[in-house]
Amino acid sequence: MVKENSILLALRQIIEVVSQKSSFEDAIALLVEKIRATMKTDCCSLYLLNNRKTRLALAATDGLSKESVGKVSLQIGEGLVGLVGERQELVNLADAPSHPNFKYLPDVGEDEFLSILGVPVINQGELLGVLVVQCKEKRLFDEQEETFLITLSAQIASIISVNRSTKESLENNVKRFKGKNGSGSIAIAQAVVWKPPVNFDTIQIMYSEDKDIQSELFHQTLFQLQTEMDMANLRLQESSHEMASSGYMSGYGCMLDDTSFEDEVDNEIFTQGLVAASAIKIIAEKRIALAKEAGDKDKARDIRDFAAILITRLVHLLPKETDISTPVVLVVKSMPAALVAEMPRNKIAGFVCIDSATSSHTAILARDLGIPAVIDVNLDIDNVDGHTIIVDGQSAEVLVDPSTSVVDEYMQLISQSRQLHDLFEKEKFEKGITLDGKRINIQLNAGLNHEVDDLSAQTDGIGLYRTEISFMLSNSLPNEEQQVLWYKSLLAQFKGLPVCMRTLDVGGDKGLPYLPIEEQNPALGWRGIRVCIDQPNILKTQLRAMLKAQLEYGNLEIMLPMISRLEEVLIVKRILNEAISEIEDETKQTVKRPPFGIMIEIPCVAYILDELAAECDFFSIGSNDLIQYLFAVDRTNPKVSKYFDTFNPAAIRCLKFFKDKTESLNKPISVCGEIAGSSLGSLLLLSLGYTNLSMNYSQIARVKYISRHINLNDLLAIGKKALTLNSSVKIKHLYTEYAQAQGLMSVIDQKK
Ligand code: PEP
Ligand code: MG
């Protein structure tokens, strides 16, 4: 190593020569060369963090194989380099291969090196990369060497940072937008902007001289719509949605086939000089009035809807749905929940929603569909139609007009995720059994209908059915018959397996269009069970529908959301008892009393668990709300998302408390919040003793795979250790380290 008095000189010289290089690649190649020579080590390498901030890629080396530059990378937390990145702390080891984090990378030529000194490269608190020196001999680097490398890394941080931002803005010309909510994996496709139908009432009456053009426009649009509706009708029939197709066509078909409608609109255009949209409005209004006079409200609504669609076509000149031949990224400002649920999955590669007001329920639906989606993102909707877009559902980012190198990087990730998909596919019908033979129940969080074959065979039943999603997709409060149909179809699909239905959980971030709840502080307001108790008719109808639906199947479980007081449970039980007697009277059948449970979402229940346990059969942790209320952190507010930390010591001790306490009360407990479906989160839960996990469909295969490749006893020991640690970084590291030891790093989704 250089003599102490010449450290500064050496540093200055290195920075000076490096800064003179015009290309960044040449500069870092020279940098590692100079460092190696100055420090008299056998190797020096620089790893840089990728755009997605998930991996450290070898960017320059003097000592390792030069062919590996740009090809080799490590996840944050993976190997010793990943460890430096994760902890953002120096690592100095005389015998690197004996460290548990050591990772042997074939073809890199690292085999001969024993000692390592690695430091993080950080600029304004942000990790940019890791700088490493290695020696063949077994030796610890001294303090002076540590100081030298740390000082140097601080100096090069600004060079790297400048290069990074110039690269992003100039070379790539990529526009990156951060969203609030992300789900699914990655999609790259052309953007198609969807605009909502125009508001029929606000169409203005306007005139035009070009009567022929207006008439031509009207007839063309009508013809186009007619063809599309015929095709849509066919599609619906093919997918055996006959009921829907007949309803769809009966309303609009009569208008499309009605030639007098065409004549009347033409007449308005030619005699009054109206533009086509205004003429349609005038004629539609006349017909609506006639239908109303005749007391035919349905017809009046159909005419109005039809006219609105026709005018929308004229005004927006929307891309026709049938034009979408290759999958696209659908970009919308906002979209009614019903339309999100009906999106043709094979044509939609990704989904981007701008509006924040619709963020939560749209996000839930998008996640359930498994389409890569980013919700609540500040994107200029008027400037993206037809542009290439990357939707990164894992990091909740949207990239517009990415350069080929960025596309390449994402393509690599897509291919990795396909490989994973194939890996999971092999075990999807297996049970969740750990390597040491312990059974882990993997259940589904349901809300939408999944057109997946053998869905029930892939799961151990439904751990959470969010009934509010079907309510959100309805135009009005669904009646008992309607609900019986919904619940029956789910109970039938999962015959022989438990189906845990949660009573209506609206309010907070989940609104119903026909039951608006405007509040200053909705998370702490009228939500969940509170709404049902204040509107007992809604609750009674729902309970009756659930009970009726299960008569044939007997696999229903009922669960209550947002419980904070014993009285709430007692009230619901009274209503449930009434519903059971009513149905027994009506059907003359004995109604099986379904297992009855409550969700642990509000921390105060910790203090009344004994009383609650006396009234219920099981508990389920809603970690999304539990963490929100435990840390006073709004789960939908990105400004405070860093405080929504499930690995925080307080969070894991809280989870441990509920596990131990319910066990002592002899009541089963499961977890159905997002944490159960996340990679590291599932490891954490298993380590704390939870063996019932419920998650969205898109997460089932991964978590099942993880559960089948871990040793529960080892994890329980790790859980014990985690409970003694004082920071989430240290706690998280325990699980990353375990995943690595089990060869699970490629399966672990770092962002979740
Ligand atoms: C939860 O809070 O964890 C939960 C599962 O309920 P939701 O996300 O529907 O509020
Ligand atoms: Mg909840």
Side-chain angles (χ1 to χ4, degrees), residues 596-654:
F596 179 82
I598 64 171
M599 290 189 74
I600 296 179
E601 298 185 284
I602 308 183
C604 68
V605 299
Y607 305 100
I608 52 166
L609 266 189
D610 296 67
E611 289 86 346
L612 290 173
E615 297 298 334
C616 72
D617 303 307
F618 64 89
F619 292 97
S620 183
I621 296 216
S623 53
N624 308 341
D625 279 312
L626 184 62
I627 301 289
Q628 156 162 270
Y629 297 122
L630 190 65
F631 289 96
V633 52
D634 178 352
R635 63 192 258 189
T636 66
N637 183 349
K639 278 203 203 117
V640 289
S641 59
K642 68 174 178 215
Y643 299 106
F644 194 100
D645 179 8
T646 340
F647 287 86
N648 183 286
I652 75 161
R653 289 173 205 177
C654 170

Side-chain angles (χ1 to χ4, degrees), residues 584-604:
E584 286 189 335
D585 283 352
E586 287 164 26
T587 62
K588 308 289 175 242
Q589 289 186 47
T590 311
V591 172
K592 183 181 163 223
R593 182 172 289 274
F596 179 82
I598 64 171
M599 290 189 74
I600 296 179
E601 298 185 284
I602 308 183
C604 68

Side-chain angles (χ1 to χ4, degrees), residues 508-630:
D509 62 355
K510 284 178 273 186
L512 294 179
Y514 43 88
L515 183 69
I517 302 172
E518 297 287 332
E519 287 180 315
Q520 280 278 334
N521 202 346
L524 301 183
W526 199 51
R527 57 167 304 197
I529 202 66
R530 299 170 186 176
V531 176
C532 283
I533 284 178
D534 291 347
Q535 297 287 333
N537 286 336
I538 298 182
L539 178 63
K540 175 84 146 303
T541 308
Q542 185 172 41
L543 292 173
R544 280 178 53 94
M546 288 176 179
L547 293 167
K548 272 191 171 176
Q550 75 134 7
L551 282 173
E552 210 176 311
Y553 306 101
N555 53 343
L556 169 73
E557 295 180 348
I558 293 179
M559 181 161 79
L560 311 179
M562 295 294 295
I563 290 294
S564 62
R565 302 157 68 226
L566 177 66
E567 291 79 353
E568 293 159 345
V569 181
L570 298 177
I571 292 172
V572 178
K573 277 185 97 171
R574 179 177 50 72
I575 299 175
L576 179 67
N577 287 340
E578 284 168 16
I580 291 178
S581 333
E582 284 170 15
I583 293 169
E584 286 189 335
D585 283 352
E586 287 164 26
T587 62
K588 308 289 175 242
Q589 289 186 47
T590 311
V591 172
K592 183 181 163 223
R593 182 172 289 274
F596 179 82
I598 64 171
M599 290 189 74
I600 296 179
E601 298 185 284
I602 308 183
C604 68
V605 299
Y607 305 100
I608 52 166
L609 266 189
D610 296 67
E611 289 86 346
L612 290 173
E615 297 298 334
C616 72
D617 303 307
F618 64 89
F619 292 97
S620 183
I621 296 216
S623 53
N624 308 341
D625 279 312
L626 184 62
I627 301 289
Q628 156 162 270
Y629 297 122
L630 190 65

Side-chain angles (χ1 to χ4, degrees), residues 313-325:
R313 283 294 156 86
L314 278 163
V315 175
H316 290 323
L317 296 175
L318 272 180
K320 294 171 291 168
E321 231 190 82
T322 43
D323 273 353
I324 303 174
S325 50

